[in-house]
Amino acid sequence: MTSSSSARRTTIIDVARAASVSRQTVSNVINSPERVAPETLARVQAEIDRLGFRPSRAAQSLKQERAGAWGLELNSAGFGRLGAILDIFLIELTTGAAERGSHVVPFTAADSAAPLPAYERLVASRVADGFVLTDTRRDDPRPAWLEAHHVPYAAFGRVWDDPGITSWVDVDGASGVEAAVHHLAGQGYERIGYLGWPEGSPVGDDRRSGWVRATTDLGLANPEWQARSTQSLPSACRAAAGLLDLLGRGAAIVCASDTLALGAWRVLLERGLEPGVDIGLVCFDDTDIAEALDLSSLHQPLDRVADRVLHLLATGPDPRDPAGGLLLPPELVVRSSSKPAGNRTTRKEK
Amino acid sequence: MTSSSSARRTTIIDVARAASVSRQTVSNVINSPERVAPETLARVQAEIDRLGFRPSRAAQSLKQERAGAWGLELNSAGFGRLGAILDIFLIELTTGAAERGSHVVPFTAADSAAPLPAYERLVASRVADGFVLTDTRRDDPRPAWLEAHHVPYAAFGRVWDDPGITSWVDVDGASGVEAAVHHLAGQGYERIGYLGWPEGSPVGDDRRSGWVRATTDLGLANPEWQARSTQSLPSACRAAAGLLDLLGRGAAIVCASDTLALGAWRVLLERGLEPGVDIGLVCFDDTDIAEALDLSSLHQPLDRVADRVLHLLATGPDPRDPAGGLLLPPELVVRSSSKPAGNRTTRKEK
DNA sequence: TTGTAGGCGTTATCAT
DNA sequence: ATGATAACGCCTACAA
């Protein structure tokens, strides 16, 4: 960095002087160009460009009584990192906010189990006009608090506690898994198992329900063909091994996450089976791992989620959408791990 | 979200009225408590707490002519995501900034190859007082531009072009790899190879130099025992396979990244070799993958990097540090992939 | 120790 | 079409 300089940035007054108009006219050129004579407009605009003038955000905020920023709690799940999904979501959100003339202000709560003080600070100091919530959970204290304090918010993830709340967007895990199952069935697989998380997680249960629905619809249902595992690799390997014992070769597995898929992938390797040849594999969340392992996976449309969240923040919940928030379907990215089942007769040549 | 309310937030005047003092006294209570009579202080403080008053950030910024925020370009490498390192760095930076009364303002450049307009906007509108740079590269236009415009900045990553610039912090890749080699040698490994990136990347070359130095120091040097690969898994697998052919069982490999390690890990599995038993493995960047695969890896001290970056921003480059920025050593996290070489005689029982 | 005055840069309102 | 005035909330300097 450099010595903090003395050179004051140019203000609206500098522009006004340079263009020989009042500062109000400069303001009009920026905010209501239609009220300014074309000739004046051009002259002032030229000075604005020449001097590189931009209104001070602080002065605007003060005058307009809005910060022009949305707060985003990082680490609201308490993992100390965003993870592959929120990582990308943050970028989409930041870009989308900029397109709408706003900023994103990330913050962390000292105690992720009791985050409200952090929200309160930002509201009280008027740093954020509202919030984007992520990692919503059952008994999440945030929506109720924000409602009570009349603070705008929109959630990436369902607001579970109150069906009356519609200011959320989520990815439709059930329909995603459903699509994956249909895809695998279309590739010729007839035994399609599910490797998911332990019961009780809303996201996990949602995804599993897609497997139940799709296999039932297709007449391929078998409640035995599933296993549950936490997000640790050893656990995933154990679960995948058990599931593979049940399913046998020529079957397919849909995994609730890429970590689970990594476990399954490892077991396949240990057994000399090749994904997409001996066993079909599709996982959720199109992360680095899925890409690296060339696994078919369900890609979350995070750009659209971010767009919708910003829209909700800007306009409030859509009254045409009274029954609930918006569910966006993930997109299946087909890679080599779900090649047509016919391929499995051909042995791999590596 | 809720209807944007009419309830105006409490201001310093509300507090002044409630406590029957002038607004100036309230200001003093907050900014110079020592100049206020204890009794008055308590009374005013009580009202501040009761009303939940916090100074408006916009008004403060306007008056103090500083935004109280540091800009952070997301996606400056153009990948569309932060990645495992910047993900955590962002959280550390956000937390550290909050401790110092500032915020982090993330932003993206429309064209990550020509990011300066985005920086210029933030400076001109006084949204950010300075910037944290990441993904610094050779011929990076940002440091020079920021210097020229007297905008404070500090980089996570060396500023390569100008050795006179000392406002950066980086992780010492060379010494990290060196430590890894010494660790492996201490575990009894005698053939220690290196799986790195193609020549020409500053970060990669730096890490490789640690391998050269350590193996030379230990008398274990063999320039043949290395392979180069891009960050794609197939490429990593090919390179790892070739390296393993050279090294044979009982050797160890240090990898420049976790993706490369994933490739090596895969090849081991395919050959029925177990990491930490038949082949020692250490990788850089202690990411999810390293954790999931139980690989020993070099953990970057991102909390300290963030702390130092914020310190640099607050105070300017340290004049006691005229020779360059600060290199922090990564910490070796030992997991099962670098168990003592003696273990390799015992066959795995799984 | 406390209070008063002025201004940071902008925009809305109301004149001209 | 353009300009003057006031106000957003706070803080620094100075006055009492």
Side-chain angles (χ1 to χ4, degrees), chain B residues 62-88:
Chain B
L62 188 57
K63 178 67 193 175
Q64 301 172 176
E65 307 195 16
R66 31 171 257 105
W70 308 112
L72 175 71
E73 184 187 359
L74 306 182
N75 195 29
S76 48
F79 296 141
R81 57 191 168 73
L82 272 56
I85 298 298
L86 290 185
D87 171 324
I88 297 172

PDB file of all heavy atoms in Angstrom, chain B residues 62-88:
ATOM      1  N   LEU B  62     -19.098   9.598   5.820  1.00  0.00           N
ATOM      2  CA  LEU B  62     -19.137  10.904   5.179  1.00  0.00           C
ATOM      3  C   LEU B  62     -18.266  11.893   5.945  1.00  0.00           C
ATOM      4  O   LEU B  62     -17.435  12.602   5.371  1.00  0.00           O
ATOM      5  CB  LEU B  62     -20.587  11.394   5.151  1.00  0.00           C
ATOM      6  CG  LEU B  62     -20.847  12.653   4.356  1.00  0.00           C
ATOM      7  CD1 LEU B  62     -20.379  12.472   2.925  1.00  0.00           C
ATOM      8  CD2 LEU B  62     -22.334  12.978   4.380  1.00  0.00           C
ATOM      9  N   LYS B  63     -18.438  11.886   7.227  1.00  0.00           N
ATOM     10  CA  LYS B  63     -17.692  12.827   8.051  1.00  0.00           C
ATOM     11  C   LYS B  63     -16.193  12.501   8.055  1.00  0.00           C
ATOM     12  O   LYS B  63     -15.350  13.384   7.905  1.00  0.00           O
ATOM     13  CB  LYS B  63     -18.245  12.773   9.467  1.00  0.00           C
ATOM     14  CG  LYS B  63     -17.530  13.666  10.451  1.00  0.00           C
ATOM     15  CD  LYS B  63     -17.774  15.108  10.107  1.00  0.00           C
ATOM     16  CE  LYS B  63     -16.832  16.022  10.851  1.00  0.00           C
ATOM     17  NZ  LYS B  63     -16.978  17.417  10.434  1.00  0.00           N
ATOM     18  N   GLN B  64     -15.884  11.248   8.215  1.00  0.00           N
ATOM     19  CA  GLN B  64     -14.481  10.859   8.372  1.00  0.00           C
ATOM     20  C   GLN B  64     -13.767  10.690   7.037  1.00  0.00           C
ATOM     21  O   GLN B  64     -12.577  10.405   7.008  1.00  0.00           O
ATOM     22  CB  GLN B  64     -14.379   9.570   9.173  1.00  0.00           C
ATOM     23  CG  GLN B  64     -14.991   9.673  10.549  1.00  0.00           C
ATOM     24  CD  GLN B  64     -15.041   8.330  11.259  1.00  0.00           C
ATOM     25  OE1 GLN B  64     -15.435   8.225  12.410  1.00  0.00           O
ATOM     26  NE2 GLN B  64     -14.651   7.288  10.555  1.00  0.00           N
ATOM     27  N   GLU B  65     -14.534  10.777   5.993  1.00  0.00           N
ATOM     28  CA  GLU B  65     -13.967  10.591   4.659  1.00  0.00           C
ATOM     29  C   GLU B  65     -13.217   9.269   4.508  1.00  0.00           C
ATOM     30  O   GLU B  65     -12.154   9.191   3.909  1.00  0.00           O
ATOM     31  CB  GLU B  65     -13.044  11.771   4.303  1.00  0.00           C
ATOM     32  CG  GLU B  65     -13.776  13.096   4.496  1.00  0.00           C
ATOM     33  CD  GLU B  65     -13.065  14.252   3.827  1.00  0.00           C
ATOM     34  OE1 GLU B  65     -12.203  14.005   2.979  1.00  0.00           O
ATOM     35  OE2 GLU B  65     -13.400  15.407   4.157  1.00  0.00           O
ATOM     36  N   ARG B  66     -13.756   8.253   5.112  1.00  0.00           N
ATOM     37  CA  ARG B  66     -13.273   6.898   4.845  1.00  0.00           C
ATOM     38  C   ARG B  66     -14.434   5.928   4.961  1.00  0.00           C
ATOM     39  O   ARG B  66     -15.336   6.095   5.793  1.00  0.00           O
ATOM     40  CB  ARG B  66     -12.144   6.484   5.788  1.00  0.00           C
ATOM     41  CG  ARG B  66     -12.201   7.106   7.185  1.00  0.00           C
ATOM     42  CD  ARG B  66     -11.181   6.481   8.128  1.00  0.00           C
ATOM     43  NE  ARG B  66     -11.862   5.558   9.032  1.00  0.00           N
ATOM     44  CZ  ARG B  66     -11.817   4.264   8.954  1.00  0.00           C
ATOM     45  NH1 ARG B  66     -11.100   3.673   8.028  1.00  0.00           N
ATOM     46  NH2 ARG B  66     -12.481   3.493   9.802  1.00  0.00           N
ATOM     47  N   ALA B  67     -14.416   4.935   4.117  1.00  0.00           N
ATOM     48  CA  ALA B  67     -15.560   4.043   4.032  1.00  0.00           C
ATOM     49  C   ALA B  67     -15.576   3.036   5.172  1.00  0.00           C
ATOM     50  O   ALA B  67     -16.629   2.537   5.560  1.00  0.00           O
ATOM     51  CB  ALA B  67     -15.539   3.308   2.691  1.00  0.00           C
ATOM     52  N   GLY B  68     -14.402   2.735   5.695  1.00  0.00           N
ATOM     53  CA  GLY B  68     -14.342   1.671   6.695  1.00  0.00           C
ATOM     54  C   GLY B  68     -14.545   0.316   6.063  1.00  0.00           C
ATOM     55  O   GLY B  68     -15.124  -0.583   6.670  1.00  0.00           O
ATOM     56  N   ALA B  69     -14.089   0.172   4.827  1.00  0.00           N
ATOM     57  CA  ALA B  69     -14.260  -1.109   4.144  1.00  0.00           C
ATOM     58  C   ALA B  69     -13.087  -1.349   3.201  1.00  0.00           C
ATOM     59  O   ALA B  69     -12.517  -0.400   2.642  1.00  0.00           O
ATOM     60  CB  ALA B  69     -15.575  -1.137   3.370  1.00  0.00           C
ATOM     61  N   TRP B  70     -12.741  -2.594   3.053  1.00  0.00           N
ATOM     62  CA  TRP B  70     -11.685  -2.999   2.123  1.00  0.00           C
ATOM     63  C   TRP B  70     -12.297  -3.811   0.994  1.00  0.00           C
ATOM     64  O   TRP B  70     -13.087  -4.718   1.256  1.00  0.00           O
ATOM     65  CB  TRP B  70     -10.629  -3.843   2.850  1.00  0.00           C
ATOM     66  CG  TRP B  70     -10.081  -3.211   4.092  1.00  0.00           C
ATOM     67  CD1 TRP B  70     -10.266  -3.638   5.368  1.00  0.00           C
ATOM     68  CD2 TRP B  70      -9.258  -2.031   4.169  1.00  0.00           C
ATOM     69  NE1 TRP B  70      -9.607  -2.797   6.236  1.00  0.00           N
ATOM     70  CE2 TRP B  70      -8.986  -1.812   5.540  1.00  0.00           C
ATOM     71  CE3 TRP B  70      -8.731  -1.153   3.227  1.00  0.00           C
ATOM     72  CZ2 TRP B  70      -8.210  -0.742   5.984  1.00  0.00           C
ATOM     73  CZ3 TRP B  70      -7.971  -0.092   3.674  1.00  0.00           C
ATOM     74  CH2 TRP B  70      -7.703   0.109   5.030  1.00  0.00           C
ATOM     75  N   GLY B  71     -11.943  -3.497  -0.201  1.00  0.00           N
ATOM     76  CA  GLY B  71     -12.462  -4.239  -1.343  1.00  0.00           C
ATOM     77  C   GLY B  71     -11.713  -5.541  -1.550  1.00  0.00           C
ATOM     78  O   GLY B  71     -10.510  -5.627  -1.297  1.00  0.00           O
ATOM     79  N   LEU B  72     -12.415  -6.547  -1.985  1.00  0.00           N
ATOM     80  CA  LEU B  72     -11.792  -7.840  -2.287  1.00  0.00           C
ATOM     81  C   LEU B  72     -12.358  -8.353  -3.593  1.00  0.00           C
ATOM     82  O   LEU B  72     -13.556  -8.649  -3.674  1.00  0.00           O
ATOM     83  CB  LEU B  72     -12.075  -8.851  -1.166  1.00  0.00           C
ATOM     84  CG  LEU B  72     -11.577 -10.274  -1.422  1.00  0.00           C
ATOM     85  CD1 LEU B  72     -10.055 -10.320  -1.353  1.00  0.00           C
ATOM     86  CD2 LEU B  72     -12.188 -11.261  -0.434  1.00  0.00           C
ATOM     87  N   GLU B  73     -11.519  -8.439  -4.585  1.00  0.00           N
ATOM     88  CA  GLU B  73     -11.998  -8.938  -5.876  1.00  0.00           C
ATOM     89  C   GLU B  73     -12.171 -10.448  -5.810  1.00  0.00           C
ATOM     90  O   GLU B  73     -11.217 -11.173  -5.530  1.00  0.00           O
ATOM     91  CB  GLU B  73     -10.996  -8.580  -6.985  1.00  0.00           C
ATOM     92  CG  GLU B  73     -11.498  -8.981  -8.365  1.00  0.00           C
ATOM     93  CD  GLU B  73     -10.449  -8.794  -9.450  1.00  0.00           C
ATOM     94  OE1 GLU B  73      -9.334  -8.341  -9.134  1.00  0.00           O
ATOM     95  OE2 GLU B  73     -10.734  -9.141 -10.606  1.00  0.00           O
ATOM     96  N   LEU B  74     -13.384 -10.882  -6.090  1.00  0.00           N
ATOM     97  CA  LEU B  74     -13.621 -12.317  -6.182  1.00  0.00           C
ATOM     98  C   LEU B  74     -13.380 -12.727  -7.625  1.00  0.00           C
ATOM     99  O   LEU B  74     -13.494 -11.933  -8.538  1.00  0.00           O
ATOM    100  CB  LEU B  74     -15.066 -12.649  -5.796  1.00  0.00           C
ATOM    101  CG  LEU B  74     -15.544 -12.147  -4.441  1.00  0.00           C
ATOM    102  CD1 LEU B  74     -16.973 -12.610  -4.197  1.00  0.00           C
ATOM    103  CD2 LEU B  74     -14.635 -12.626  -3.330  1.00  0.00           C
ATOM    104  N   ASN B  75     -13.035 -13.943  -7.799  1.00  0.00           N
ATOM    105  CA  ASN B  75     -12.892 -14.443  -9.169  1.00  0.00           C
ATOM    106  C   ASN B  75     -11.789 -13.740  -9.933  1.00  0.00           C
ATOM    107  O   ASN B  75     -11.843 -13.624 -11.154  1.00  0.00           O
ATOM    108  CB  ASN B  75     -14.215 -14.290  -9.921  1.00  0.00           C
ATOM    109  CG  ASN B  75     -14.232 -15.105 -11.187  1.00  0.00           C
ATOM    110  OD1 ASN B  75     -13.567 -16.141 -11.264  1.00  0.00           O
ATOM    111  ND2 ASN B  75     -14.969 -14.655 -12.182  1.00  0.00           N
ATOM    112  N   SER B  76     -10.752 -13.266  -9.232  1.00  0.00           N
ATOM    113  CA  SER B  76      -9.715 -12.550  -9.967  1.00  0.00           C
ATOM    114  C   SER B  76      -8.884 -13.506 -10.809  1.00  0.00           C
ATOM    115  O   SER B  76      -8.163 -13.077 -11.705  1.00  0.00           O
ATOM    116  CB  SER B  76      -8.829 -11.753  -9.019  1.00  0.00           C
ATOM    117  OG  SER B  76      -8.401 -12.534  -7.937  1.00  0.00           O
ATOM    118  N   ALA B  77      -8.989 -14.787 -10.541  1.00  0.00           N
ATOM    119  CA  ALA B  77      -8.286 -15.741 -11.397  1.00  0.00           C
ATOM    120  C   ALA B  77      -9.178 -16.201 -12.542  1.00  0.00           C
ATOM    121  O   ALA B  77      -8.719 -16.900 -13.444  1.00  0.00           O
ATOM    122  CB  ALA B  77      -7.810 -16.937 -10.584  1.00  0.00           C
ATOM    123  N   GLY B  78     -10.437 -15.812 -12.520  1.00  0.00           N
ATOM    124  CA  GLY B  78     -11.326 -16.129 -13.621  1.00  0.00           C
ATOM    125  C   GLY B  78     -11.912 -17.527 -13.615  1.00  0.00           C
ATOM    126  O   GLY B  78     -12.430 -17.992 -14.618  1.00  0.00           O
ATOM    127  N   PHE B  79     -11.887 -18.195 -12.464  1.00  0.00           N
ATOM    128  CA  PHE B  79     -12.408 -19.561 -12.420  1.00  0.00           C
ATOM    129  C   PHE B  79     -13.904 -19.615 -12.141  1.00  0.00           C
ATOM    130  O   PHE B  79     -14.503 -20.682 -12.210  1.00  0.00           O
ATOM    131  CB  PHE B  79     -11.703 -20.376 -11.336  1.00  0.00           C
ATOM    132  CG  PHE B  79     -10.238 -20.569 -11.588  1.00  0.00           C
ATOM    133  CD1 PHE B  79      -9.333 -20.515 -10.542  1.00  0.00           C
ATOM    134  CD2 PHE B  79      -9.770 -20.825 -12.862  1.00  0.00           C
ATOM    135  CE1 PHE B  79      -7.979 -20.699 -10.768  1.00  0.00           C
ATOM    136  CE2 PHE B  79      -8.416 -21.010 -13.096  1.00  0.00           C
ATOM    137  CZ  PHE B  79      -7.529 -20.947 -12.048  1.00  0.00           C
ATOM    138  N   GLY B  80     -14.476 -18.509 -11.749  1.00  0.00           N
ATOM    139  CA  GLY B  80     -15.885 -18.527 -11.406  1.00  0.00           C
ATOM    140  C   GLY B  80     -16.147 -19.052 -10.004  1.00  0.00           C
ATOM    141  O   GLY B  80     -17.282 -19.200  -9.590  1.00  0.00           O
ATOM    142  N   ARG B  81     -15.088 -19.354  -9.311  1.00  0.00           N
ATOM    143  CA  ARG B  81     -15.264 -19.737  -7.906  1.00  0.00           C
ATOM    144  C   ARG B  81     -14.012 -19.367  -7.124  1.00  0.00           C
ATOM    145  O   ARG B  81     -12.963 -19.101  -7.696  1.00  0.00           O
ATOM    146  CB  ARG B  81     -15.554 -21.230  -7.787  1.00  0.00           C
ATOM    147  CG  ARG B  81     -14.487 -22.072  -8.405  1.00  0.00           C
ATOM    148  CD  ARG B  81     -14.912 -23.515  -8.509  1.00  0.00           C
ATOM    149  NE  ARG B  81     -13.972 -24.213  -9.366  1.00  0.00           N
ATOM    150  CZ  ARG B  81     -12.734 -24.521  -9.004  1.00  0.00           C
ATOM    151  NH1 ARG B  81     -12.301 -24.204  -7.789  1.00  0.00           N
ATOM    152  NH2 ARG B  81     -11.929 -25.129  -9.841  1.00  0.00           N
ATOM    153  N   LEU B  82     -14.161 -19.368  -5.825  1.00  0.00           N
ATOM    154  CA  LEU B  82     -13.043 -18.963  -4.991  1.00  0.00           C
ATOM    155  C   LEU B  82     -12.027 -20.088  -4.871  1.00  0.00           C
ATOM    156  O   LEU B  82     -10.828 -19.869  -4.945  1.00  0.00           O
ATOM    157  CB  LEU B  82     -13.546 -18.592  -3.587  1.00  0.00           C
ATOM    158  CG  LEU B  82     -13.998 -17.157  -3.339  1.00  0.00           C
ATOM    159  CD1 LEU B  82     -15.077 -16.765  -4.318  1.00  0.00           C
ATOM    160  CD2 LEU B  82     -14.494 -17.005  -1.944  1.00  0.00           C
ATOM    161  N   GLY B  83     -12.515 -21.270  -4.633  1.00  0.00           N
ATOM    162  CA  GLY B  83     -11.639 -22.399  -4.350  1.00  0.00           C
ATOM    163  C   GLY B  83     -11.438 -22.550  -2.866  1.00  0.00           C
ATOM    164  O   GLY B  83     -11.785 -21.663  -2.081  1.00  0.00           O
ATOM    165  N   ALA B  84     -10.881 -23.658  -2.501  1.00  0.00           N
ATOM    166  CA  ALA B  84     -10.835 -24.048  -1.095  1.00  0.00           C
ATOM    167  C   ALA B  84     -10.016 -23.082  -0.243  1.00  0.00           C
ATOM    168  O   ALA B  84     -10.314 -22.890   0.935  1.00  0.00           O
ATOM    169  CB  ALA B  84     -10.273 -25.463  -0.971  1.00  0.00           C
ATOM    170  N   ILE B  85      -9.003 -22.480  -0.823  1.00  0.00           N
ATOM    171  CA  ILE B  85      -8.142 -21.600  -0.034  1.00  0.00           C
ATOM    172  C   ILE B  85      -8.800 -20.236   0.166  1.00  0.00           C
ATOM    173  O   ILE B  85      -8.953 -19.757   1.283  1.00  0.00           O
ATOM    174  CB  ILE B  85      -6.772 -21.438  -0.722  1.00  0.00           C
ATOM    175  CG1 ILE B  85      -6.068 -22.789  -0.827  1.00  0.00           C
ATOM    176  CG2 ILE B  85      -5.913 -20.438   0.034  1.00  0.00           C
ATOM    177  CD1 ILE B  85      -5.773 -23.437   0.500  1.00  0.00           C
ATOM    178  N   LEU B  86      -9.196 -19.619  -0.915  1.00  0.00           N
ATOM    179  CA  LEU B  86      -9.789 -18.283  -0.796  1.00  0.00           C
ATOM    180  C   LEU B  86     -11.105 -18.322  -0.042  1.00  0.00           C
ATOM    181  O   LEU B  86     -11.481 -17.350   0.621  1.00  0.00           O
ATOM    182  CB  LEU B  86      -9.983 -17.666  -2.176  1.00  0.00           C
ATOM    183  CG  LEU B  86      -8.689 -17.281  -2.879  1.00  0.00           C
ATOM    184  CD1 LEU B  86      -8.995 -16.567  -4.181  1.00  0.00           C
ATOM    185  CD2 LEU B  86      -7.833 -16.407  -1.980  1.00  0.00           C
ATOM    186  N   ASP B  87     -11.798 -19.412  -0.162  1.00  0.00           N
ATOM    187  CA  ASP B  87     -13.019 -19.627   0.597  1.00  0.00           C
ATOM    188  C   ASP B  87     -12.754 -19.353   2.075  1.00  0.00           C
ATOM    189  O   ASP B  87     -13.406 -18.516   2.720  1.00  0.00           O
ATOM    190  CB  ASP B  87     -13.430 -21.086   0.345  1.00  0.00           C
ATOM    191  CG  ASP B  87     -14.564 -21.559   1.210  1.00  0.00           C
ATOM    192  OD1 ASP B  87     -14.638 -21.144   2.371  1.00  0.00           O
ATOM    193  OD2 ASP B  87     -15.377 -22.357   0.731  1.00  0.00           O
ATOM    194  N   ILE B  88     -11.769 -20.033   2.611  1.00  0.00           N
ATOM    195  CA  ILE B  88     -11.457 -19.878   4.030  1.00  0.00           C
ATOM    196  C   ILE B  88     -10.824 -18.515   4.301  1.00  0.00           C
ATOM    197  O   ILE B  88     -11.115 -17.876   5.311  1.00  0.00           O
ATOM    198  CB  ILE B  88     -10.535 -21.021   4.487  1.00  0.00           C
ATOM    199  CG1 ILE B  88     -11.272 -22.352   4.343  1.00  0.00           C
ATOM    200  CG2 ILE B  88     -10.062 -20.807   5.922  1.00  0.00           C
ATOM    201  CD1 ILE B  88     -10.425 -23.563   4.588  1.00  0.00           C
TER     202      ILE B  88
END
